[in-house]
Amino acid sequence: MRGETWVDADIDELCLSFLVRQAWLNMRGAMDGALSGLGLSVAQYASLLVLADQPGITIADLARAVASTRQSANELLAGLADQGLVERRRHPTDGRSQQVFLTDAGRERLEEARPVVRERERELEAGFSQEERRLARQWLRRMTGDQPA
Amino acid sequence: MRGETWVDADIDELCLSFLVRQAWLNMRGAMDGALSGLGLSVAQYASLLVLADQPGITIADLARAVASTRQSANELLAGLADQGLVERRRHPTDGRSQQVFLTDAGRERLEEARPVVRERERELEAGFSQEERRLARQWLRRMTGDQPA
DNA sequence: CTCGCATTGACAGGAACCTTACGTTCTTGG
DNA sequence: CCAAGAACGTAAGGTTCCTGTCAATGCGAG
C-alpha cells in the first residue's frame, strides 16, 4: 500500500469489497467517458439494454432488473423520456403500473452505444485469455449473490 | 435475462461494468450488514485500514487512497471522529493540511472488524480455488486502472 | 526574492441514489 | 364475496457522493 491507491495484495485480503468498488468506479468512469458523446450514462445504457430485451417491462421490474429502487428507476426513466428514448404507457391489465418501451430513437441510440461500450471494455480486459475472462465473470456473478455457493 | 436481475452471460458481454456494479452493491450490502453491529460502514472500515497502514496521512491523500474526493473523505472522517475512532491534527510542516490518526478506540474497533469482514468475504467466495481467487483479484486490479494492460 | 501555478481543507450547491409513506389497485385465503 | 396484505408509481425527505469555488499555503522557475 505504497502507491496512489491501496490496491495491493495485502489490503485486498482485508477488504476485497473495496477492490470491487474501485473496479466499478474506474469502469464507470471509462464507460461514462465513452458514452458521454451519446448523451448516456452507463446506468442509462444498461437500462436501455434491459428495455430492449424486455419490451413493456414495468418500472418496478426494471428497478429489480438493475438492482435498484422504483424511485431511482423512475427518475432515470424520466431522463431517458426527456431525451425521447423511452415512453411509458399505462399497463393494459394492471391499474397500478406502467409499461416502458424503447422508442425508435432509443433503439438507434442503443445500437450506436453498443460498439462503443464493447470496445472500451475490451480495451480494459486486453491481455486476459478467454478462460480468464470466463472465470472473472463467474466470480463476479457469485459476488452479485445471484449464484449460490 | 429471464431471472430476477439480468446477470446473464449475454448481457455481461454488453455491459460488463454493470455486472461489476452489481457485485459491488451486493458485497457492500453484505459487509454493511456484517459491520453494522460495530457501527461501521464498509467505507469507514476501509478508511480505518488505510489509516492503520499510513498513520498521519493527510485528508487529501486518504481521499486519493480510496479513490474519492477530499470533501467525501473529510465528511467520512467527521463521522469517524464523532465516534472517537480518529483524530485530526494540524500538520507540523504544511500549513494547509491536517494529519489523521487512529485513536486507541479506532484501533480496537478495527481489530474487531477484521475477522467479521474476512469471514463474510470468505463465505461469498466459498468454492473458488486459491488460483481462481488470485485470478479474480488480478482481473479486478486491472479494472481499477492501477495495473496497465 | 518574486510571482505564477498548484494544493489544501472547507463552504455551497447539486446529482444520484436511498427510505418512508401515501392512495390506488391487485391478490388470495377464508 | 370480503378483507387483509402486498404491490404499484409517486411525493417527501435524507444520505452519500460529487463539482465548483474560496482563502491560505506551498512549490519551483526565473
Side-chain angles (χ1 to χ4, degrees):
Chain A
M1 198 168 65
R2 305 292 177 262
E4 296 266 309
T5 68
W6 48 272
V7 179
D8 208 335
D10 292 344
I11 299 301
D12 291 350
E13 297 309 322
L14 292 173
C15 194
L16 182 59
S17 311
F18 233 59
L19 176 59
V20 176
R21 168 186 178 267
Q22 291 188 275
W24 156 237
L25 291 180
N26 191 55
M27 290 178 88
R28 185 181 65 183
M31 297 307 121
D32 282 347
L35 290 168
S36 63
L38 294 174
L40 293 175
S41 67
V42 60
Q44 288 175 322
Y45 170 73
S47 295
L48 292 181
L49 284 176
V50 175
L51 290 170
D53 190 69
Q54 294 181 61
I57 194 171
T58 62
I59 297 171
D61 281 335
L62 176 64
R64 278 186 283 273
V66 297
S68 182
T69 64
R70 289 169 293 154
Q71 175 66 20
S72 296
N74 201 25
E75 281 172 11
L76 185 143
L77 284 171
L80 290 175
D82 286 347
Q83 289 188 59
L85 304 182
V86 304
E87 60 184 353
R88 284 165 287 192
R89 297 184 207 149
R90 205 178 307 184
H91 199 287
T93 61
D94 186 337
R96 298 167 301 184
S97 64
Q98 301 175 37
Q99 291 185 299
V100 194
F101 297 91
L102 282 185
T103 60
D104 287 346
R107 267 183 289 277
E108 287 169 21
R109 187 73 69 80
L110 184 55
E111 291 313 310
E112 288 179 78
R114 276 189 218 243
V116 172
V117 169
R118 187 171 293 187
E119 184 56 32
R120 286 296 285 117
E121 290 183 346
R122 181 178 298 142
E123 286 166 11
L124 282 173
E125 282 196 289
F128 284 93
S129 69
Q130 195 80 329
E131 178 57 22
E132 285 168 335
R133 296 174 192 204
R134 187 198 64 77
L135 189 280
R137 282 152 184 71
Q138 186 182 0
W139 188 90
L140 285 169
R141 277 186 226 112
R142 166 67 79 68
M143 295 303 120
T144 67
D146 269 1
Q147 205 176 49
Chain B
M1 198 169 65
R2 304 295 177 261
E4 295 267 307
T5 67
W6 50 272
V7 181
D8 208 333
D10 291 343
I11 300 300
D12 292 349
E13 297 309 322
L14 291 173
C15 195
L16 181 60
S17 311
F18 233 57
L19 176 60
V20 176
R21 168 185 179 269
Q22 291 188 272
W24 156 235
L25 291 180
N26 190 56
M27 291 178 87
R28 185 181 65 182
M31 296 309 119
D32 282 348
L35 290 167
S36 63
L38 295 174
L40 293 177
S41 67
V42 59
Q44 288 175 322
Y45 170 73
S47 295
L48 292 181
L49 283 176
V50 174
L51 289 171
D53 190 69
Q54 294 182 62
I57 193 171
T58 63
I59 297 171
D61 281 335
L62 175 65
R64 278 187 284 273
V66 297
S68 183
T69 64
R70 290 169 289 152
Q71 175 65 19
S72 296
N74 202 21
E75 281 172 9
L76 185 142
L77 284 171
L80 290 175
D82 286 346
Q83 289 189 56
L85 304 182
V86 305
E87 60 183 355
R88 285 167 286 193
R89 297 182 206 151
R90 205 179 308 186
H91 199 286
T93 60
D94 185 338
R96 299 167 300 181
S97 63
Q98 301 175 38
Q99 292 186 298
V100 192
F101 298 91
L102 282 184
T103 61
D104 286 347
R107 268 183 289 276
E108 288 169 19
R109 186 72 68 83
L110 184 54
E111 291 314 309
E112 289 178 77
R114 274 186 220 246
V116 171
V117 170
R118 186 172 293 186
E119 184 55 33
R120 286 298 285 118
E121 290 183 346
R122 182 179 296 144
E123 287 166 13
L124 282 174
E125 281 196 293
F128 284 94
S129 70
Q130 195 80 330
E131 178 57 22
E132 284 167 335
R133 297 175 192 204
R134 189 199 62 77
L135 190 279
R137 282 155 184 70
Q138 187 182 358
W139 189 89
L140 284 169
R141 277 184 226 112
R142 167 69 77 71
M143 295 304 119
T144 66
D146 270 359
Q147 203 175 53

